[in-house]
Amino acid sequence: MRNKISSLRLSDLYNKKSIVIKADERVSNNSRFGDELWDFNDHKIIRLNSVPASRLRIDWAKYSAERNQEKLRRGQQTIIPQTMIQELKTFAYLYLTVPSAFGKTNSHSIKPQTVVVMLRGMIFLFSRIYQRHQEVATSLNSKKSTIRSLTDISVRDLRKALIESDRADGAQLSGSLRALTSSLMSRALPSSRLKWTDKDVSTLEFKYPNKRTDYKRVMPKELFRLLSINACRDVTGFLLFNGIQPIDNSQKIPTHTFSGRISNGATAFNDYESIRIKDREYSSRRGSRGTLSQGERRHFKKSHGVTPQEYFKYISRVQRAAMTLIGLYTGARYSDLTSFTKDCVKSLHGTHVIVGTHAKQQKIKDKENADIWPAIPVMRDAFECLKLISRVTFNPYLLSAIETVPIGQTPKPMTLSSFAEAINKYLKVVDSTGRWSEWH
């Protein structure tokens, strides 16, 4: 569904003396302009897979000074007047809908999460200004702050609030304040123009984060080799263990498999899969996590000589090994990796490729699953391992948690922090000498 304003030309907008957004205009599939909660989460859009849910939501009601008088009395710093909220909602809507009006020649990069972060930074800054004026009003026996609208804020207010703030968000905040000075926003503000200009913003002193010095930009080749060799051994061993012939035949050292107590890996995997299926179905019936596979678990231990928990630790290691290989050899961004599913390896003109979705510098609603990465043999083996493991996770995303996705719950790829944690855990397992114990 297209928003009415997005169907207009920019010239039409500039011909209007004022811009008013109707409450029922869509801002996302989940929310309308007049809603108190804007929710941009949408599991159907692959490009949002890697974005934390909190960055795709903004709860306007919790920032309302009129609705949160108790917070105001406590001096909490996330409160602004309702008029200002309405102005920021209008800004956010226009910024998402017609980014070119704000000097954004590359509108591909304007995504909901970008705007949500911009809004939170501005709300924090404006709330400091609002509350300081509220304190002055109280000392003068006045009930209300003189700050009600964005147009009440002066350059002096901005400068003082930035000096007092300890937030190192200068790059994001300076761009946000400049965007508010656009000529389009002047038609959207209900009373008068802002008291600051783009030139004024350039004179403000913003705080920026210190450049990190505690990491190396390039992984040492010795570490790369350690991870690659061990991950290849784990991946190759797991496939052979399950009766699957690996595609990569370049391994010159013995592959790593389970402890050797299991005589038939494929049978063990099938038995373990039955345990996960039974527990998943039982958990669904009872409405919470539980197990009804005690008999199957005893049978597994008797048949294969190891417990299901020991086997779980093994496939967890293999999963981390396979994800490590994919991270090392695709060269893809994390946001791209989260688009890889169990059916992503394809043959194109006789060459095997990984089909997924680029996220960076792409429009949210651009065509998905149309981007490709080359798939060398060992990567295809890694994908085959993850595809097999997906039978017990019930998750089509190859970068996913090892736990079972409950019946009725939408499968999701793992978060960036979880992905990093998985590789860190794998490094600790294979770094037998402890040489890389300080590496993260």
Side-chain angles (χ1 to χ4, degrees):
M1 177 179 178
R2 297 182 67 189
N3 297 317
K4 291 182 180 179
I5 200 164
S6 65
S7 66
L8 297 174
R9 295 174 299 177
L10 268 180
S11 57
D12 295 328
L13 289 175
Y14 283 117
N15 288 332
K16 292 178 175 289
K17 291 184 178 180
S18 63
I19 298 174
V20 178
I21 314 299
K22 294 181 179 179
D24 63 351
E25 290 284 0
R26 284 278 180 193
V27 294
S28 72
N29 287 340
N30 305 317
S31 309
R32 298 179 184 274
F33 181 82
D35 292 345
E36 293 181 340
L37 174 67
W38 283 11
D39 184 3
F40 296 97
N41 285 282
D42 190 341
H43 71 274
K44 295 179 181 178
I45 300 177
I46 293 175
R47 290 186 175 89
L48 296 179
N49 278 344
S50 61
V51 183
S54 61
R55 287 198 174 190
L56 293 171
R57 292 163 58 93
I58 183 159
D59 186 352
W60 297 103
K62 80 173 186 178
Y63 298 121
S64 172
E66 288 81 356
R67 296 190 178 197
N68 297 278
Q69 287 299 311
E70 182 59 33
K71 286 186 178 181
L72 187 59
R73 283 190 289 272
R74 293 176 189 168
Q76 294 186 12
Q77 296 183 326
T78 52
I79 304 296
I80 56 176
Q82 190 63 39
T83 298
M84 202 178 291
I85 286 178
Q86 194 67 16
E87 293 166 346
L88 289 178
K89 289 177 79 171
T90 299
F91 163 74
Y93 179 86
L94 293 175
Y95 198 79
L96 282 168
T97 308
V98 280
S100 57
F102 297 88
K104 295 294 180 181
T105 55
N106 184 5
S107 59
H108 292 176
S109 62
I110 307 301
K111 295 183 172 66
Q113 60 268 33
T114 301
V115 178
V116 169
V117 172
M118 289 175 68
L119 289 169
R120 287 177 178 162
M122 288 191 290
I123 289 172
F124 184 86
L125 178 68
F126 296 148
S127 66
R128 292 181 70 95
I129 296 172
Y130 168 69
Q131 290 199 56
R132 187 171 64 250
H133 280 263
Q134 181 68 35
E135 291 170 2
V136 173
T138 301
S139 67
L140 297 174
N141 295 321
S142 175
K143 293 184 179 180
K144 291 186 178 181
S145 167
T146 56
I147 300 292
R148 310 303 301 170
S149 162
L150 294 176
T151 58
D152 296 325
I153 297 175
S154 67
V155 179
R156 185 171 178 272
D157 290 325
L158 292 173
R159 184 168 288 112
K160 187 171 183 179
L162 287 169
I163 291 174
E164 294 174 348
S165 175
D166 58 357
R167 290 167 67 98
D169 56 354
Q172 169 260 312
L173 194 55
S174 61
S176 302
L177 295 178
R178 280 195 166 94
L180 285 174
T181 66
S182 73
S183 57
L184 182 62
M185 274 303 296
S186 66
R187 291 166 172 78
L189 296 171
S191 52
S192 58
R193 289 179 177 270
L194 294 173
K195 293 179 180 177
W196 78 84
T197 64
D198 180 85
K199 187 176 181 180
D200 291 326
V201 175
S202 65
T203 68
L204 299 174
E205 294 185 12
F206 296 92
K207 293 183 175 70
Y208 298 90
N210 295 325
K211 290 186 177 180
R212 288 185 59 186
T213 59
D214 60 339
Y215 74 103
K216 295 182 180 180
R217 295 181 61 86
V218 178
M219 180 183 290
K221 60 182 180 182
E222 295 88 354
L223 175 56
F224 189 100
R225 184 183 299 114
L226 173 72
L227 289 170
S228 177
I229 289 175
N230 281 278
C232 287
R233 292 179 63 198
D234 278 321
V235 162
T236 301
F238 183 68
L239 293 178
L240 290 171
F241 189 53
N242 282 276
I244 301 172
Q245 185 61 40
I247 300 167
D248 179 42
N249 57 9
S250 64
Q251 297 301 304
K252 303 301 182 183
I253 56 178
T255 58
H256 180 275
T257 61
F258 201 48
S259 62
R261 285 175 285 175
I262 296 179
S263 59
N264 190 308
T267 300
F269 189 89
N270 289 335
D271 289 346
Y272 182 71
E273 182 183 12
S274 297
I275 292 172
R276 296 280 287 254
I277 290 173
K278 189 162 187 177
D279 287 346
R280 184 174 188 249
E281 292 174 346
Y282 174 67
S283 297
S284 177
R285 290 194 300 271
R286 77 193 296 259
S288 61
R289 188 175 178 178
T291 180
L292 193 64
S293 59
Q294 291 86 349
E296 287 81 359
R297 290 174 180 273
R298 287 191 295 270
H299 172 76
F300 189 94
K301 174 70 184 309
K302 182 177 180 180
S303 299
H304 306 296
V306 296
T307 66
Q309 186 60 27
E310 289 175 305
Y311 187 76
F312 170 82
K313 290 180 179 179
Y314 171 57
I315 64 172
S316 294
R317 170 177 173 146
V318 173
Q319 186 196 45
R320 291 168 186 154
M323 291 193 296
T324 297
L325 281 179
I326 292 169
L328 290 176
Y329 286 103
T330 58
R333 297 174 184 270
Y334 169 73
S335 56
D336 302 333
L337 293 175
T338 58
S339 70
F340 296 159
T341 63
K342 62 182 182 180
D343 298 316
C344 65
V345 178
K346 308 286 185 182
S347 178
L348 183 65
H349 304 303
T351 301
H352 284 91
V353 297
I354 309 164
V355 179
T357 303
H358 276 302
K360 192 73 171 178
Q361 302 297 329
Q362 304 295 315
K363 290 182 179 179
I364 286 288
K365 293 187 178 180
D366 275 355
K367 186 177 180 181
E368 297 182 330
N369 287 321
D371 303 300
I372 60 173
W373 289 258
I376 61 175
V378 71
M379 285 169 55
R380 291 164 60 192
D381 287 339
F383 277 108
E384 188 63 30
C385 284
L386 294 176
K387 184 177 180 180
L388 188 61
I389 292 172
S390 72
R391 283 169 46 186
V392 299
T393 63
F394 302 90
N395 194 328
Y397 293 105
L398 296 187
L399 264 66
S400 68
I402 192 65
E403 289 77 23
T404 303
V405 176
I407 293 175
Q409 195 172 103
T410 301
K412 295 180 180 179
M414 67 194 335
T415 63
L416 175 56
S417 59
S418 296
F419 179 54
E421 182 183 5
I423 297 179
N424 282 327
K425 285 182 177 180
Y426 186 70
L427 174 58
K428 287 183 179 180
V429 168
V430 301
D431 181 25
S432 57
T433 65
R435 177 183 178 183
W436 304 101
S437 60
E438 300 300 319
W439 185 276
H440 299 282

